[in-house]
Short mmCIF file of all heavy atoms in Angstrom, two decimals:
data_model
loop_
_atom_site.label_atom_id
_atom_site.label_comp_id
_atom_site.label_asym_id
_atom_site.label_seq_id
_atom_site.Cartn_x
_atom_site.Cartn_y
_atom_site.Cartn_z
N ALA B 195 202.99 137.07 13.33
CA ALA B 195 202.74 136.16 14.45
C ALA B 195 201.67 135.15 14.09
O ALA B 195 201.78 133.97 14.42
CB ALA B 195 202.33 136.96 15.67
N ALA B 196 200.63 135.61 13.37
CA ALA B 196 199.53 134.70 13.04
C ALA B 196 199.99 133.55 12.15
O ALA B 196 199.54 132.42 12.31
CB ALA B 196 198.40 135.46 12.34
N PHE B 197 200.90 133.83 11.21
CA PHE B 197 201.38 132.74 10.34
C PHE B 197 202.08 131.67 11.17
O PHE B 197 201.89 130.48 10.96
CB PHE B 197 202.33 133.27 9.26
CG PHE B 197 201.64 134.19 8.30
CD1 PHE B 197 202.24 135.38 7.90
CD2 PHE B 197 200.39 133.88 7.79
CE1 PHE B 197 201.60 136.23 7.02
CE2 PHE B 197 199.74 134.73 6.91
CZ PHE B 197 200.35 135.91 6.52
N VAL B 198 202.93 132.10 12.12
CA VAL B 198 203.64 131.14 12.97
C VAL B 198 202.63 130.36 13.82
O VAL B 198 202.64 129.14 13.89
CB VAL B 198 204.62 131.86 13.91
CG1 VAL B 198 205.40 130.87 14.75
CG2 VAL B 198 205.55 132.76 13.12
N TRP B 199 201.73 131.11 14.44
CA TRP B 199 200.81 130.51 15.42
C TRP B 199 199.82 129.57 14.77
O TRP B 199 199.51 128.51 15.31
CB TRP B 199 200.06 131.61 16.17
CG TRP B 199 200.92 132.33 17.16
CD1 TRP B 199 202.02 131.84 17.77
CD2 TRP B 199 200.73 133.66 17.65
NE1 TRP B 199 202.54 132.79 18.63
CE2 TRP B 199 201.77 133.90 18.57
CE3 TRP B 199 199.79 134.66 17.42
CZ2 TRP B 199 201.89 135.11 19.26
CZ3 TRP B 199 199.91 135.85 18.10
CH2 TRP B 199 200.95 136.09 19.01
N THR B 200 199.26 129.96 13.62
CA THR B 200 198.25 129.10 13.00
C THR B 200 198.84 127.74 12.67
O THR B 200 198.25 126.70 12.96
CB THR B 200 197.70 129.75 11.72
OG1 THR B 200 197.35 131.09 12.02
CG2 THR B 200 196.48 129.03 11.21
N PHE B 201 200.02 127.76 12.11
CA PHE B 201 200.68 126.51 11.75
C PHE B 201 200.90 125.64 12.99
O PHE B 201 200.54 124.47 13.03
CB PHE B 201 202.02 126.81 11.06
CG PHE B 201 202.79 125.58 10.69
CD1 PHE B 201 202.47 124.86 9.55
CD2 PHE B 201 203.82 125.13 11.50
CE1 PHE B 201 203.17 123.72 9.22
CE2 PHE B 201 204.52 123.98 11.18
CZ PHE B 201 204.19 123.27 10.04
N LEU B 202 201.50 126.26 14.03
CA LEU B 202 201.81 125.49 15.23
C LEU B 202 200.55 125.00 15.93
O LEU B 202 200.47 123.86 16.38
CB LEU B 202 202.62 126.36 16.21
CG LEU B 202 204.04 126.67 15.76
CD1 LEU B 202 204.69 127.65 16.73
CD2 LEU B 202 204.87 125.40 15.68
N THR B 203 199.53 125.87 16.00
CA THR B 203 198.29 125.49 16.67
C THR B 203 197.65 124.30 15.98
O THR B 203 197.23 123.34 16.61
CB THR B 203 197.31 126.67 16.65
OG1 THR B 203 197.90 127.76 17.33
CG2 THR B 203 196.00 126.32 17.31
N TYR B 204 197.60 124.37 14.65
CA TYR B 204 196.96 123.29 13.90
C TYR B 204 197.70 121.98 14.13
O TYR B 204 197.09 120.94 14.36
CB TYR B 204 196.91 123.64 12.41
CG TYR B 204 195.91 122.79 11.67
CD1 TYR B 204 194.58 123.18 11.60
CD2 TYR B 204 196.28 121.58 11.10
CE1 TYR B 204 193.65 122.39 10.96
CE2 TYR B 204 195.35 120.78 10.46
CZ TYR B 204 194.04 121.20 10.39
OH TYR B 204 193.11 120.41 9.76
N ALA B 205 199.04 122.05 14.08
CA ALA B 205 199.83 120.83 14.27
C ALA B 205 199.62 120.28 15.67
O ALA B 205 199.38 119.08 15.85
CB ALA B 205 201.31 121.14 14.03
N MET B 206 199.67 121.15 16.67
CA MET B 206 199.53 120.70 18.05
C MET B 206 198.16 120.06 18.28
O MET B 206 198.06 118.92 18.75
CB MET B 206 199.69 121.88 19.00
CG MET B 206 199.37 121.55 20.43
SD MET B 206 199.26 123.01 21.45
CE MET B 206 197.69 123.69 20.91
N GLY B 207 197.10 120.78 17.92
CA GLY B 207 195.76 120.32 18.26
C GLY B 207 195.35 119.05 17.54
O GLY B 207 194.60 118.24 18.07
N ASN B 208 195.83 118.86 16.31
CA ASN B 208 195.38 117.71 15.55
C ASN B 208 196.24 116.48 15.73
O ASN B 208 195.79 115.36 15.50
CB ASN B 208 195.28 118.06 14.07
CG ASN B 208 194.05 118.90 13.79
OD1 ASN B 208 192.96 118.38 13.70
ND2 ASN B 208 194.23 120.20 13.70
N PHE B 209 197.51 116.67 16.11
CA PHE B 209 198.39 115.50 16.22
C PHE B 209 198.64 115.06 17.65
O PHE B 209 198.61 113.88 17.95
CB PHE B 209 199.72 115.77 15.51
CG PHE B 209 199.55 116.01 14.03
CD1 PHE B 209 200.22 117.04 13.39
CD2 PHE B 209 198.71 115.20 13.29
CE1 PHE B 209 200.04 117.27 12.03
CE2 PHE B 209 198.53 115.42 11.92
CZ PHE B 209 199.20 116.45 11.30
N VAL B 210 198.91 116.01 18.55
CA VAL B 210 199.30 115.61 19.92
C VAL B 210 198.22 114.77 20.61
O VAL B 210 198.49 113.67 21.06
CB VAL B 210 199.71 116.84 20.77
CG1 VAL B 210 200.02 116.42 22.19
CG2 VAL B 210 200.91 117.52 20.13
N PRO B 211 196.94 115.24 20.68
CA PRO B 211 195.96 114.41 21.40
C PRO B 211 195.52 113.18 20.62
O PRO B 211 194.90 112.30 21.17
CB PRO B 211 194.78 115.36 21.63
CG PRO B 211 194.96 116.47 20.69
CD PRO B 211 196.37 116.50 20.23
N GLN B 212 195.84 113.13 19.34
CA GLN B 212 195.43 111.97 18.53
C GLN B 212 196.45 110.85 18.65
O GLN B 212 196.09 109.68 18.73
CB GLN B 212 195.28 112.40 17.07
CG GLN B 212 194.81 111.31 16.14
CD GLN B 212 193.32 111.01 16.30
OE1 GLN B 212 192.53 111.89 16.58
NE2 GLN B 212 192.94 109.75 16.14
N TYR B 213 197.74 111.21 18.63
CA TYR B 213 198.75 110.17 18.53
C TYR B 213 199.65 110.04 19.75
O TYR B 213 200.31 109.04 19.93
CB TYR B 213 199.64 110.43 17.30
CG TYR B 213 198.85 110.50 16.02
CD1 TYR B 213 198.69 111.70 15.33
CD2 TYR B 213 198.25 109.36 15.50
CE1 TYR B 213 197.95 111.78 14.17
CE2 TYR B 213 197.51 109.42 14.33
CZ TYR B 213 197.36 110.63 13.67
OH TYR B 213 196.62 110.68 12.52
N TYR B 214 199.72 111.08 20.59
CA TYR B 214 200.74 111.02 21.64
C TYR B 214 200.20 110.92 23.05
O TYR B 214 200.74 110.18 23.86
CB TYR B 214 201.69 112.22 21.53
CG TYR B 214 202.36 112.29 20.18
CD1 TYR B 214 202.01 113.25 19.25
CD2 TYR B 214 203.32 111.33 19.83
CE1 TYR B 214 202.60 113.28 17.99
CE2 TYR B 214 203.90 111.34 18.58
CZ TYR B 214 203.54 112.33 17.66
OH TYR B 214 204.12 112.34 16.43
#
Side-chain angles (χ1 to χ4, degrees):
Chain B
F197 295 136
V198 183
W199 287 335
T200 311
F201 178 80
L202 290 174
T203 300
Y204 198 87
M206 172 191 74
N208 284 281
F209 298 135
V210 176
Q212 182 75 34
Y213 303 110
Y214 302 108

